[in-house]
């Protein structure tokens, strides 16, 4: 693999020369195709992640701008029951921890369709959502969630801070990875945060990505792949201190960081932060030799998935997919899996039904299609939700169907 000699780290500007994982050419993972677009040219971009040898930020180049990706977005958070339950628990915990009430102000960056802020609103706590995807923000507004459709950066944060109160609680779930200009984004956090305010940020953990072979979580909409060590450095560079961290089961293994103004929290760095830093170093997240070796693990999963699909088809078995997540589109495009292997996929979101997956052009139907066709195998593409999906679609087993997960290894569930 040739080094990315013309690319620099989006945080520390070090020249990028080391490859983490090369997944070939791929379309944008959420650029679903309408039937009347199937014969049109489709854009593919290099999907190649590099790592910085100075700050160890794993990242993909910005081939498509956030404005292009997120102006009309196909992901709506409210279609995952487990994610809604996770969000409700968070609201209960933070309301009690911070004593939030009608005098407080909660701001969420990347608030999507109001999936989380609705629970604060139910408690009478004033909220503001920041959601750049206008079609998604519209849904939140229709639900009565005050929402601004802008991209957060230091300039937009200054405008927002001048228009209303600063945040007592500022949160961002699974957003930090979606931002190419991490410096301006985190600088915006500091501007929006009240003097005694608290920041929480959740993101998929690079350590789990490496340990569990989650290469399919690499896609163009995810510009960065994050460790606590790197995120702590980014926040510190902008006058914010990460003082606590907790591990979460969401998205295949995430962490939630707690941060605030360094003037308030720099002297309160907790044991869990120091312990996580040590674990990340022991896991190899600051070891170039370890990071370089990730490519081979992705290739082995590709071989195993193709072996399973080829074998099933040769035995006359039918195989379909469950879910149309971004990670599934990375997996299918990298492995070259199209309708010759998967007849179709189903998804609960009506915003995706009737469309086709980008690149592979596999049709997307409502889950009821499973009952009509009774496939032999259902490949669960959002493998992080496998327990939820297996429970929802238990009837698949009634006709002898089997569930299959591709990550961390190809496995036919019992």
């Amino acid at each position: 693999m040739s080094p990315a000699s013309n690319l620099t780290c989006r945080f520390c500007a070090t020249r990028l020369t080391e490859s983490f994982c090369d997944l070939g050419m791929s379309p944008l993972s959420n650029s679903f195709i309408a039937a009347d677009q199937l014969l049109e040219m489709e854009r593919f971009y290099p999907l190649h992640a590099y790592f910085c040898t100075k700050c160890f930020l794993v990242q993909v180049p910005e081939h498509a701008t956030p404005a292009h990706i997120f102006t009309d977005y196909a992901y709506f958070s409210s279609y995952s029951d487990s994610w809604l339950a996770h969000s409700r628990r968070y609201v209960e915990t933070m309301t009690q921890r911070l004593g939030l009430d009608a005098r407080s102000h909660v701001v969420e960056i990347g608030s999507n369709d109001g999936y989380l802020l609705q629970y604060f609103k139910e408690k009478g706590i004033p909220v503001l959502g920041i959601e750049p995807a206008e079609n998604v923000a519209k849904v939140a507004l229709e639900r009565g969630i005050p929402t601004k459709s802008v991209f957060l950066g230091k300039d937009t944060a200054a405008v927002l801070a001048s228009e209303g109160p600063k945040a007592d609680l500022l949160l961002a779930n699974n957003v930090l990875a979606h931002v190419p200009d991490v410096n301006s984004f985190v600088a915006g956090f500091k501007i929006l945060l009240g003097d005694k305010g608290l920041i929480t940020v959740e993101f998929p953990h690079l350590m789990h990505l490496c340990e569990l072979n989650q290469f399919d979580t690499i896609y163009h909409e995810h510009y960065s792949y994050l460790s606590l060590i790197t995120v702590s450095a980014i926040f510190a560079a902008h006058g914010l201190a990460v003082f606590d961290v907790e591990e979460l089961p969401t998205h295949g293994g995430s962490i939630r960081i707690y941060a605030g103004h360094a003037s308030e929290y720099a002297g309160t760095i907790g044991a869990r932060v120091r312990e996580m830093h040590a674990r990340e170093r022991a896991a190899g997240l600051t070891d170039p030799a370890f990071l370089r070796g990730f490519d081979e693990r992705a290739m082995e999963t590709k071989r195993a998935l193709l072996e399973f699909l080829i074998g099933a088809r040769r035995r006359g078995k039918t195989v379909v997919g469950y879910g149309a997540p971004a990670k599934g589109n990375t997996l299918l495009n990298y492995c070259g899996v199209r309708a010759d292997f998967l007849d179709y996929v189903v998804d609960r979101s009506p915003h995706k039904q009737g469309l086709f997956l980008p690149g592979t052009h596999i049709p997307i139907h409502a889950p009821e299609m499973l009952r009509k066709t009774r496939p032999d195998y259902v490949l669960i593409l959002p493998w992080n939700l496998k327990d939820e999906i297996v429970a929802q679609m238990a009837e698949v087993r009634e006709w002898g169907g089997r569930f299959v997960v591709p990550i961390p290894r190809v496995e036919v569930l019992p």
Side-chain angles (χ1 to χ4, degrees), residues 17 36 42 70 72 107 143 156 226 236 245 266-267 280 293 295 313 321 325 328 330 358 386 389:
T17 61
D36 60 1
E42 190 172 0
F70 298 113
D72 185 27
V107 178
R143 299 167 73 172
T156 51
L226 303 160
V245 63
E280 289 183 342
D295 242 328
R313 285 303 202 180
T330 289
K386 67 178 182 181
I389 291 167

Side-chain angles (χ1 to χ4, degrees), residues 69-382:
I69 294 172
F70 298 113
T71 299
D72 185 27
Y73 200 46
Y75 179 75
F76 289 75
S77 296
S78 292
Y79 288 99
S80 169
D81 294 339
S82 61
W83 184 242
L84 290 177
H86 170 77
S87 301
R88 187 185 285 275
R89 287 193 298 271
Y90 169 86
V91 170
E92 294 294 334
T93 298
M94 298 310 296
T95 299
Q96 294 180 21
R97 175 171 176 167
L98 300 180
L100 299 175
D101 56 27
R103 298 165 296 177
S104 307
H105 189 50
V106 176
V107 178
E108 181 179 12
I109 313 302
S111 52
N112 202 264
D113 58 6
Y115 74 101
L116 183 147
L117 291 180
Q118 63 179 329
Y119 301 125
F120 280 120
K121 185 173 181 291
E122 287 175 0
K123 293 178 176 293
I125 299 170
V127 300
L128 176 65
I130 310 296
E131 174 50 58
E134 293 181 4
N135 65 313
V136 181
K138 181 181 178 183
V139 174
L141 287 167
E142 291 170 350
R143 299 167 73 172
I145 307 297
T147 304
K148 298 280 189 178
S149 190
V150 296
F151 289 95
L152 182 69
K154 58 185 178 182
D155 293 335
T156 51
V159 173
L160 292 168
S162 69
E163 293 176 344
K166 292 192 175 184
D168 298 298
L169 173 61
L170 180 64
L171 68 130
N173 291 342
N174 305 304
V175 177
L176 188 56
H178 290 78
V179 180
D181 190 347
V182 293
N183 287 308
S184 180
F185 188 71
V186 176
F189 278 17
K190 184 168 179 61
I191 294 168
L192 282 180
L193 187 66
D195 292 343
K196 304 290 185 180
L198 180 69
I199 298 170
T200 71
V201 180
E202 297 180 18
F203 52 87
H205 196 186
L206 178 62
M207 188 163 70
H208 286 283
L209 187 156
C210 292
E211 290 177 345
L212 300 177
N213 194 29
Q214 297 169 351
F215 68 88
D216 58 340
T217 60
I218 298 172
Y219 42 93
H220 298 103
E221 293 92 328
H222 273 182
Y223 296 103
S224 302
Y225 304 85
L226 303 160
S227 67
L228 181 61
I229 289 173
T230 299
V231 170
S232 296
I234 295 171
F235 273 59
H238 296 283
L240 298 167
V242 176
F243 64 88
D244 197 8
V245 63
E246 59 183 310
E247 296 182 80
L248 305 171
T250 54
H251 294 280
S254 300
I255 58 177
R256 176 190 293 149
I257 63 166
Y258 295 81
H261 293 294
S263 57
E264 290 288 326
Y265 290 100
T268 64
I269 308 301
R272 292 196 294 190
V273 171
R274 296 191 294 271
E275 182 180 272
M276 181 66 75
H277 283 183
R279 285 174 57 194
E280 289 183 342
R281 292 189 187 94
L285 300 192
T286 58
D287 179 0
F290 172 80
L291 295 173
R292 285 188 211 106
F294 186 74
D295 242 328
E296 178 56 36
R297 281 168 271 175
M299 288 188 278
E300 180 53 35
T301 295
K302 176 177 181 176
R303 298 178 193 117
L305 179 60
L306 289 173
E307 285 172 358
F308 165 77
L309 292 171
I310 290 169
R313 285 303 202 180
R314 284 181 172 162
R315 295 194 307 274
K317 303 297 184 181
T318 53
V319 188
V320 304
Y322 189 101
K327 60 169 62 73
N329 290 323
T330 289
L331 177 73
L332 299 179
N333 278 287
Y334 174 59
C335 296
V337 173
R338 292 175 170 77
D340 52 345
F341 286 122
L342 288 186
D343 293 344
Y344 60 85
V345 301
V346 300
D347 197 278
R348 290 179 66 193
S349 172
H351 303 280
K352 297 179 182 179
Q353 294 163 11
L355 300 177
F356 295 79
L357 298 183
T360 62
H361 292 190
I362 297 171
I364 307 170
H365 298 290
E368 289 73 23
M369 181 63 75
L370 295 178
R371 303 184 190 100
K372 294 179 181 178
T373 63
R374 299 192 167 207
D376 297 299
Y377 294 104
V378 177
L379 178 66
I380 299 177
L381 295 170

